[in-house]
Amino acid sequence: MLLEAIYHQPKSQYAYAYDEETLHIRVRTKRNDMDRVSVVWGDKYDFVPDKITTTEMEVFAKDSLFDYYQVAIKPPFRRFAYAFKFEKGDRTVFWNEVGFTEDSLSSSGVGMLWSPSGMFEFPFLNAVDVHTPPEWVKNAVFYQIFPERFANGDPSLNPENTQAWTHESVPTRDNFFGGDLQGVIDNLDYLQELGITCIYFTPFFEAFSNHKYDTIDYLKVDPQFGDNKTAKKLVDEAHKKGIRVMLDAVFNHSGYYFPPFQDVLINGEKSRFKDWFHIKEFPVSTDPLNYDTFGFVPEMPKLNTENREVRAYLLKVARYWVEEIGVDGWRLDVANEVDHRFWRDFRDTVKAANPDAYILGEIWHNSMAWLQGDQFDAVMNYPVTNSILDFFVKDEIDAESFMGRLDAMQIAYPKQANEVAFNLLDSHDTPRLLHIAEGNKDRMKLAALFQLTYMGAPCIYYGDEIGMTGGGDPGCRKPMIWEEEYQDRQLFEFYKNIIQLRKDHPALKDGTFKFLSAEKDNKYIAFERTDENDRFIIVMNSGDTKQKVEINDMEPGKFRNLYGTG
Amino acid sequence: MLLEAIYHQPKSQYAYAYDEETLHIRVRTKRNDMDRVSVVWGDKYDFVPDKITTTEMEVFAKDSLFDYYQVAIKPPFRRFAYAFKFEKGDRTVFWNEVGFTEDSLSSSGVGMLWSPSGMFEFPFLNAVDVHTPPEWVKNAVFYQIFPERFANGDPSLNPENTQAWTHESVPTRDNFFGGDLQGVIDNLDYLQELGITCIYFTPFFEAFSNHKYDTIDYLKVDPQFGDNKTAKKLVDEAHKKGIRVMLDAVFNHSGYYFPPFQDVLINGEKSRFKDWFHIKEFPVSTDPLNYDTFGFVPEMPKLNTENREVRAYLLKVARYWVEEIGVDGWRLDVANEVDHRFWRDFRDTVKAANPDAYILGEIWHNSMAWLQGDQFDAVMNYPVTNSILDFFVKDEIDAESFMGRLDAMQIAYPKQANEVAFNLLDSHDTPRLLHIAEGNKDRMKLAALFQLTYMGAPCIYYGDEIGMTGGGDPGCRKPMIWEEEYQDRQLFEFYKNIIQLRKDHPALKDGTFKFLSAEKDNKYIAFERTDENDRFIIVMNSGDTKQKVEINDMEPGKFRNLYGTG
């Protein structure tokens, strides 16, 4: 037994409330080290031998070094004192907050109140603290639209020098094609046919650039795209078709032409907006840069979200689009550079306007600090993105490593955050999936199939479903191809089918997930998704040669060859 | 190198902002495993080879299984991308968010925004999120007063059947001795002579019992103790003598005679207070209990702090005593059973009334979930209490185990929380220190000396300093002995001296702490406390035999035999 490998932290992703009556308790051990792991638990105010329960835990995730055990328990009085019991051969070790002991559980205490018995504790399950993302996200299939490039529905709004929109159009960093909100309204039937249930829009507020991440007015649709009435109409029409709408909140920084920043540039220390940013000294200088920015980009001054006026302004924005326009969620740009306190207020504001709104952080790294129930519902799941690409598309890692990297995310967050994680494979910031796959549509389909059968909410980048190509920005931002002869309609049918498969079977959305096969040096995997109705066993081969995979414990059932030749 | 032993979690007690410009980065390894551990870091938007820095880390805590390394770094742009480098013999291993690699740092990324290099991240140091406890607590010496038992200054307030106050008085669970707030005012000189700088009062609000934890009116001093004017006078007089005042907030539950609960008992489902508690069904029944309580005590109904009216009422209480009466802090009873959301609002309310107020949670277990800067400044440090008692007083553990248990607390929380942790050795809930020491004043003094030279704010339970005895409640709640002939004046002088020693030397308050000797099976320890002015090396022998202790690296200095015979 390797005691050094064992890890647990009370009140964390290792011990959290899954719902108002259920706790999830997890513990880490060295891979394949234990015969049996159990949690030994009772009420903290009645922790006496005949009222202590021992419940066996199950391995729910693995990587090359560790096994991760989990168990769900409903403590009758919502209070929970616990320890762990590890068994291997003849040896039994107990572990509580005081430390490890052999053979029997030790307690340390002097009196009722004196740490009843040195146990770990989940002191009380208060409903208000439970992390509860909106239920609809589990069932959602997202579709990302870059508004300037999806469809031109109102040519009267075209900016000067709008380029022709054809299947051969070449995007540059600063050209325009005339995409707008009416274009999206006009094509809702297309989205409905594909089967998607929520549009994620990159910003459409007034801004200077074609990507609109350099906001000028957060309360106004960019005139190139329409006006706030068009936005309202879009949301209403989408809702009628069962399609929700999520917007992009760029609250970390404003654009250069944001009037308060312009005021600071002009009036310097005398500007009434001087505290809206992080200016280190006056006069403001872009070279050398003497104010905080996104990255080192002078055109994107970081907003001072600690300032009362800035907070009030941004919270007004957050409320306006949800309350007045009816949008269903916010995706938060560069979310991890804005203060936690702001995001807590943001959550309160948005959920007061619509308790069912989805709050999604753009974070590329471990995000546990934002997923404790007080800030975000979920984050953009880049580690899963990279793992899927590395295994299915780039062929860079083996099955064990793929499992390890995915399962690391399972232990990294509470289950409810993973159930609504935003699983994308590409975006306006990356090369397109088909580009990364070097045109290999088989690999692209494997990746998409995994995405659509894995935990979390999948998101398809506009045009991927019809075979659009393109490298990193600006290549990935081509205008949507609407001429059917240049669309890959077979690919479209494939996407439509796997979306429908997911929608038809709750087990593929919030069933349990478990790898059945993911071995070192192998290129194939098998995994299972199970709920009370269905048990899916999905086998996928990312290698170039045929594989024979043996799955034990199979009952006779329906088999469908979703994709492939074998 | 044992990779399984290595642990780090971004944005946690392993990676946090210590102040507005400094990050503390920590990592765990197997004990004595590494030759060198370093953090490899740079700006997340400029993570290129010639701008990456490697900074060696130092072991700052140890236990029987692990070494804990730490380093303090000031990232120039407040953004921080990092990895770890482990060296042992010829082997070098790097570790970042993607995993372990031999010899060189691996990165995984496709483009600027695509997780620059798979590093761990502290994305941005926002000042408003920094955990900043009040500075004065580092310099404080607390003194706990149980108001019914400290001094009777106004006999006109005595309840019926008040017992005689002598050195032989015997407390029971429900008798009264007439202690009151005027009695404390009358004895402020005594406290000033002893040297204490903050009084911690167990509750003095109107209640039924002698301990007053069963609140009837949170906004009113119990008539047995005086009135709110007496409280104001007490606070003002104490402040004049440089003594602060901390009160006890019992917000988890009310008393049985709290009018809203009485209303629910009488009016049942029709009571306008029915949602102030967690009533499972009506009519309310105490046997079988059908509402949530503290423990299983029907007389202490749990308050529903998720209810808007309850929150407003309790926050009004929190504000009133700070704003109107001028108290300097709140100790929060059963703090971990109240919801996190309430405590966030509580912090905002209290700090708005007095940014320097101290917020102290009563938590007997791991408290990291409350010490992230948004809830408590610190917690009552029971694990340290138990460790000091087990080593110095009960002689139950060896020096290595003592070090391990104390150092486990160093890694459990950010440094700033440990600097203001509330270190008590006994209280109204436990046997008195001298009782636990079975009358052995040598052991008692060793424990107190360690308490006064360790990190965190020490608290002395009233009367310990003059040798009062008594077992668990009610024995530990005897009336204070004021007859000098029954006081141990030598012990008083000892306490006075060690308090003065601490006050004279900042190194003993917020200097670094490090064990120099704490070996398996040994009964003696040596540790050092250092700041820019002083370097204290303190050697303490808890064994019964004389020990020769060799300390290397000593410069000539002043030596003082603080206590003992050698």
Side-chain angles (χ1 to χ4, degrees), chain B residues 343-454:
Chain B
W343 290 132
R344 288 194 191 99
D345 289 349
F346 178 88
R347 183 181 185 86
D348 285 349
T349 302
V350 169
K351 297 281 182 179
N354 178 5
D356 244 7
Y358 178 46
I359 299 175
L360 173 68
E362 184 214 22
I363 303 190
W364 301 66
H365 293 269
N366 185 294
S367 307
M368 187 55 209
W370 293 267
L371 294 176
Q372 299 173 10
D374 56 331
Q375 294 167 71
F376 308 157
D377 290 317
V379 290
M380 297 182 81
N381 214 353
Y382 297 106
V384 166
T385 312
N386 283 330
S387 304
I388 295 175
L389 295 178
D390 287 354
F391 183 67
F392 288 112
V393 182
K394 301 187 200 168
D395 194 18
E396 283 181 356
I397 57 175
D398 66 9
E400 185 193 49
S401 170
F402 179 61
M403 171 183 73
R405 281 164 56 174
L406 289 189
D407 279 7
M409 299 316 296
Q410 296 302 319
I411 184 65
Y413 306 138
K415 184 172 183 229
Q416 58 265 53
N418 280 318
E419 286 172 342
V420 297
F422 191 83
N423 291 338
L424 66 168
L425 295 178
D426 54 356
S427 76
H428 64 293
D429 275 335
T430 74
R432 280 191 180 271
L433 178 55
L434 190 51
H435 182 95
I436 303 169
E438 296 175 340
N440 183 333
K441 286 187 183 164
D442 288 345
R443 292 202 167 278
M444 180 187 183
K445 287 178 179 173
L446 277 176
L449 178 61
F450 187 83
Q451 178 194 26
L452 268 290
T453 53
Y454 188 59

Side-chain angles (χ1 to χ4, degrees), chain A residues 177-197:
Chain A
F177 290 93
D180 52 36
L181 299 190
Q182 186 60 49
V184 180
I185 296 173
D186 294 344
N187 288 289
L188 287 171
D189 285 340
Y190 171 84
L191 298 178
Q192 194 175 30
E193 191 200 343
L194 179 59
I196 67 99
T197 65

Side-chain angles (χ1 to χ4, degrees), chain A residues 44-45 114 337 386 430, chain B residues 44-45 78 114 337 386 430:
Chain A
K44 59 193 276 198
Y45 295 110
W114 202 270
E337 299 189 21
N386 283 329
T430 73
Chain B
K44 60 194 275 198
Y45 295 111
R78 297 195 274 165
W114 202 269
E337 299 190 20
N386 283 330
T430 74

Side-chain angles (χ1 to χ4, degrees), chain A residues 85 91 111 189 213 223 256 266 285 350 418 450 527 530:
Chain A
K85 182 182 180 187
R91 191 174 174 200
D189 285 340
Y213 275 94
Y256 189 78
I266 293 163
S285 153
V350 169
N418 280 319
F450 186 84
F527 61 95
T530 308

Side-chain angles (χ1 to χ4, degrees), chain A residues 175-246:
Chain A
N175 63 3
F176 289 85
F177 290 93
D180 52 36
L181 299 190
Q182 186 60 49
V184 180
I185 296 173
D186 294 344
N187 288 289
L188 287 171
D189 285 340
Y190 171 84
L191 298 178
Q192 194 175 30
E193 191 200 343
L194 179 59
I196 67 99
T197 65
C198 188
I199 301 169
Y200 151 44
F201 279 105
T202 58
F204 60 45
F205 309 138
E206 187 176 22
F208 184 78
S209 65
N210 56 24
H211 55 67
K212 307 297 176 194
Y213 275 94
D214 51 338
T215 321
I216 294 172
D217 188 341
Y218 289 89
L219 288 165
K220 189 177 158 196
V221 167
D222 191 289
Q224 295 171 5
F225 296 157
D227 56 22
N228 292 18
K229 277 185 194 158
T230 332
K232 175 79 178 128
K233 187 176 157 208
L234 165 59
V235 170
D236 290 345
E237 294 297 316
H239 283 177
K240 279 182 204 158
K241 292 184 190 293
I243 294 174
R244 287 183 167 85
V245 174
M246 176 169 77

Side-chain angles (χ1 to χ4, degrees), chain A residues 2-7 9-11 13-14 28 30-31 43-46 64-66 76-79 97-98 100 108-121 123-129 278 280 292-296 302 305-306 311 334 336-342 344 347-348 362-366 368-370 372 374 382-383 385-386 389-390 394 405 412 424-427 429-431 436, chain B residues 2-7 9-11 13-14 28 30-31 43-46 64-66 76-79 97-98 100 108-121 123-129 278 280 292-296 302 305-306 311 334 336-342 344 347-348 362-366 368-370 372 374 382-383 385-386 389-390 394 405 412 424-427 429-431 436:
Chain A
L2 186 67
L3 300 187
E4 285 91 344
I6 294 172
Y7 188 81
Q9 165 81 20
K11 295 278 286 185
Q13 66 272 34
Y14 278 86
R28 184 186 90 176
K30 179 179 156 72
R31 178 109 188 250
D43 189 90
K44 59 193 276 198
Y45 295 110
D46 197 19
S64 57
L65 295 178
F66 304 110
F77 299 99
R78 297 195 274 164
R79 300 177 298 226
E97 208 167 79
V98 179
F100 292 97
S108 95
V110 285
M112 188 276 271
L113 278 175
W114 202 270
S115 180
S117 42
M119 301 300 136
F120 295 113
E121 257 196 25
F124 198 88
L125 198 175
N126 288 292
V128 73
D129 291 328
H278 298 270
K280 291 170 193 164
D292 286 340
T293 58
F294 169 69
F296 293 99
K302 183 170 168 69
T305 43
E306 297 182 18
R311 294 155 70 87
V334 200
N336 58 356
E337 299 189 21
V338 176
D339 60 273
H340 294 285
R341 173 174 274 269
F342 176 80
R344 288 194 192 100
R347 183 181 186 86
D348 285 349
E362 184 214 23
I363 304 190
W364 301 66
H365 293 270
N366 185 295
M368 187 55 208
W370 293 268
Q372 298 173 10
D374 57 331
Y382 296 106
T385 312
N386 283 329
L389 295 178
D390 287 353
K394 300 188 201 168
R405 281 165 56 175
L424 68 167
L425 295 179
D426 54 357
S427 75
D429 275 335
T430 73
I436 303 169
Chain B
L2 186 68
L3 300 186
E4 284 90 344
I6 293 172
Y7 190 80
Q9 165 81 20
K11 294 278 286 185
Q13 66 272 34
Y14 278 86
R28 184 186 91 176
K30 178 179 156 72
R31 179 109 189 250
D43 189 272
K44 60 194 275 198
Y45 295 111
D46 197 18
S64 58
L65 295 179
F66 303 111
F77 299 98
R78 297 195 274 165
R79 300 176 300 225
E97 209 166 79
V98 179
F100 291 98
S108 96
V110 286
M112 188 276 271
L113 278 173
W114 202 269
S115 181
S117 42
M119 301 299 137
F120 295 113
E121 258 196 24
F124 198 88
L125 197 175
N126 288 291
V128 73
D129 291 328
H278 298 270
K280 292 169 192 165
D292 286 339
T293 57
F294 170 68
F296 292 98
K302 184 171 167 68
T305 43
E306 298 183 18
R311 294 155 69 89
V334 199
N336 58 356
E337 299 190 20
V338 176
D339 60 272
H340 293 286
R341 173 174 274 270
F342 177 80
R344 288 194 191 99
R347 183 181 185 86
D348 285 349
E362 184 214 22
I363 303 190
W364 301 66
H365 293 269
N366 185 294
M368 187 55 209
W370 293 267
Q372 299 173 10
D374 56 331
Y382 297 106
T385 312
N386 283 330
L389 295 178
D390 287 354
K394 301 187 200 168
R405 281 164 56 174
L424 66 168
L425 295 178
D426 54 356
S427 76
D429 275 335
T430 74
I436 303 169

